[in-house]
């Protein structure tokens, strides 16, 4: 007679197997947190907190200021505004990447066809933000915000990208390189030389107001440059009309120049260097006489990434340093 309190061999075997199985499960469960990567992360974009997928499989990227980082990290996208990029990021040019078109006439159907699980919008595409969120609620805007410290905004953006693509260390390194370039430029500036920011396009020279817009204007508050002209901006994107005589009258020691057409080299293009240094009215300006003109990289207008700004600050640091 089998005791009711004594398990049979088969029952014992089952129990042992069960315990081992539970132990195995417990062991597996204990190891999972270290081995499992989070599938989502909560970030703070320009609109507030939002949960987005980590390493999204189908990414639509519309913000040109993120392309360099995405390219450096080997992040693939399924759709992008190809006309905006020219050949700067070869990985985005192939037929596998759908063309969203330019922001002035975006191809919404291409974004729908891309079936994204994350959309990175941007300042150029901000007017269709509602359309983007209707396609995919996980739509973020992380471009530099107006009225905020521009340098901090660039670091904020790359830090968010680091969260999304699980590359916090790489993002921090990019930010550190950026800070180092700014520190070098500050150290090289003598603190007194006057500076004017300019934007050239279509054979014309425009004035970039200190602190306004993107590119040249942001250097003034970041480096505490002394402006030779202090006038608020009317057109922060393209610059304001200014005559060469007005520039000459301001007598700047330095010029920092963004050539908006430099990346396109289209018919009729006049390089910024020719416009500035070929002008008789500017011939006696100290900046021209001393060769103290810093031209931004021709691709800067298309890029505008934190890496592009790092290169710009490094160029400014080198120019200031060489003039000492």
């Amino acid at each position: 007679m089998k005791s009711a309190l004594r398990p049979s061999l088969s029952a014992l075997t089952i129990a042992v197997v069960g315990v081992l199985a539970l132990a195995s499960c417990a062991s597996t469960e204990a190891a999972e947190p270290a081995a499992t990567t989070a599938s989502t992360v909560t970030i703070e974009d320009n609109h507030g907190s939002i949960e987005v997928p980590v390493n999204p499989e189908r990414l639509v990227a519309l913000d040109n200021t993120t392309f360099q980082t995405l390219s450096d990290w080997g992040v693939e996208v399924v759709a992008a505004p190809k006309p905006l990029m020219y050949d700067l990021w070869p990985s985005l040019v192939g037929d596998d990447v759908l063309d969203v078109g330019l922001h002035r006439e975006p191809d919404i159907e291409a974004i729908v066809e891309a079936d994204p699980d994350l959309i990175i919008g941007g300042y150029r595409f901000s007017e269709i933000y509602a359309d983007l969120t209707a396609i995919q609620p996980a739509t973020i805007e992380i471009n530099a915000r107006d009225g905020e410290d521009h340098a901090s905004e660039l670091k904020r953006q790359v830090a968010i990208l680091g969260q999304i693509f699980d590359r916090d260390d790489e993002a921090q390194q990019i930010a550190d390189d950026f800070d180092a370039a700014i520190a070098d430029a500050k150290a090289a500036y003598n603190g007194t030389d006057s500076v004017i920011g300019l934007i050239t396009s279509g054979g014309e020279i425009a004035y970039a107001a200190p602190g306004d817009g993107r590119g040249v204007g942001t250097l003034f508050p970041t480096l505490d440059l002394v402006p030779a002209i202090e006038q608020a901006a009317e057109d922060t994107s393209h610059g304001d009309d200014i005559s060469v005589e007005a520039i000459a009258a301001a007598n700047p020691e330095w010029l920092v120049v963004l050539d908006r057409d430099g990346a396109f080299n289209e018919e009729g293009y006049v390089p910024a260097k020719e416009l500035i240094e070929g002008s008789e009215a500017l011939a006696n300006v100290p900046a021209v006489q001393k060769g103290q003109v810093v031209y931004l990289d021709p691709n800067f207008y298309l890029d505008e990434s934190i890496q592009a700004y790092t290169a710009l600050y490094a160029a400014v640091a080198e120019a200031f340093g060489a003039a000492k």
Side-chain angles (χ1 to χ4, degrees), residues 2-42:
K2 296 177 181 178
S3 168
L5 299 175
R6 188 176 181 183
S8 65
L9 180 60
S10 59
L12 181 62
T13 302
I14 292 172
V16 171
V17 170
V19 169
L20 290 175
L22 287 172
S24 174
C25 288
S27 176
T28 302
E29 289 171 0
E32 276 179 353
T36 301
T37 301
S39 59
T40 62
V41 63
T42 300

Side-chain angles (χ1 to χ4, degrees), residues 198 205 207 229 240-249 281-282:
L198 299 174
I205 300 174
Y207 165 71
I229 300 175
D240 296 327
D241 292 340
I242 189 171
S243 67
V244 288
E245 289 77 14
I247 299 172
L282 298 179

Side-chain angles (χ1 to χ4, degrees), residues 56-298:
E57 293 182 1
R58 299 190 64 79
L59 171 66
V60 170
L62 307 179
D63 188 343
N64 62 302
T65 66
T66 66
F67 288 160
Q68 188 61 60
T69 299
L70 298 176
S71 180
D72 289 348
W73 292 350
V75 175
E76 296 181 353
V77 305
V78 292
K82 292 185 177 184
L84 189 63
M85 304 177 313
Y86 284 71
D87 298 328
L88 266 187
W89 299 277
S91 62
L92 306 182
V93 175
D95 293 336
D96 292 337
V97 180
L98 295 172
D99 185 6
V100 174
L102 284 175
H103 51 289
R104 298 185 187 90
E105 195 173 356
D107 187 347
I108 299 294
E109 291 183 358
I111 301 174
V112 174
E113 182 183 350
D115 189 24
D117 50 14
L118 178 67
I119 299 174
I120 300 177
Y123 66 90
R124 283 191 170 95
F125 290 84
S126 60
E127 292 186 359
I128 63 167
Y129 175 72
D131 297 317
L132 298 176
T133 57
I135 296 170
Q136 173 51 265
T139 293
I140 62 172
E141 290 187 328
I142 55 176
N143 50 285
R145 296 166 293 187
D146 292 338
E148 302 290 340
D149 177 71
H150 189 259
S152 298
E153 290 292 288
L154 291 176
K155 291 186 288 185
R156 179 187 71 104
Q157 182 192 66
V158 77
I160 293 172
L161 291 175
Q163 287 182 272
I164 296 172
F165 297 100
D166 199 18
R167 289 176 178 267
D168 292 330
D169 291 344
E170 290 94 331
Q172 185 60 54
Q173 185 60 58
I174 291 171
D176 290 345
D177 292 343
F178 175 67
D179 282 339
I182 291 176
D184 289 344
K186 283 183 175 178
Y189 180 51
N190 64 13
T192 57
D193 278 358
S194 60
V195 185
I196 292 179
L198 299 174
I199 301 172
T200 65
S201 180
E204 302 291 335
I205 300 174
Y207 165 71
D212 287 323
R214 311 182 307 271
V216 177
T218 63
L219 269 65
F220 285 81
T222 304
L223 300 180
D224 198 20
L225 301 177
V226 176
I229 300 175
E230 289 192 82
Q231 180 175 313
E234 295 181 1
D235 186 340
T236 57
S237 294
H238 304 91
D240 296 327
D241 292 340
I242 189 171
S243 67
V244 288
E245 289 77 14
I247 299 172
N251 209 35
E253 288 288 333
W254 288 89
L255 295 174
V256 182
V257 185
L258 167 62
D259 189 340
R260 287 185 72 244
D261 303 337
F264 313 127
N265 199 23
E266 295 176 341
E267 186 176 356
Y269 163 63
V270 182
K273 186 179 179 67
E274 185 176 328
L275 286 171
I276 301 295
E277 297 176 34
S279 169
E280 292 185 11
L282 298 179
N284 293 321
V285 168
V288 175
Q289 283 190 328
K290 298 176 182 178
Q292 296 183 163
V293 184
V294 178
Y295 298 98
L296 276 64
D297 184 287

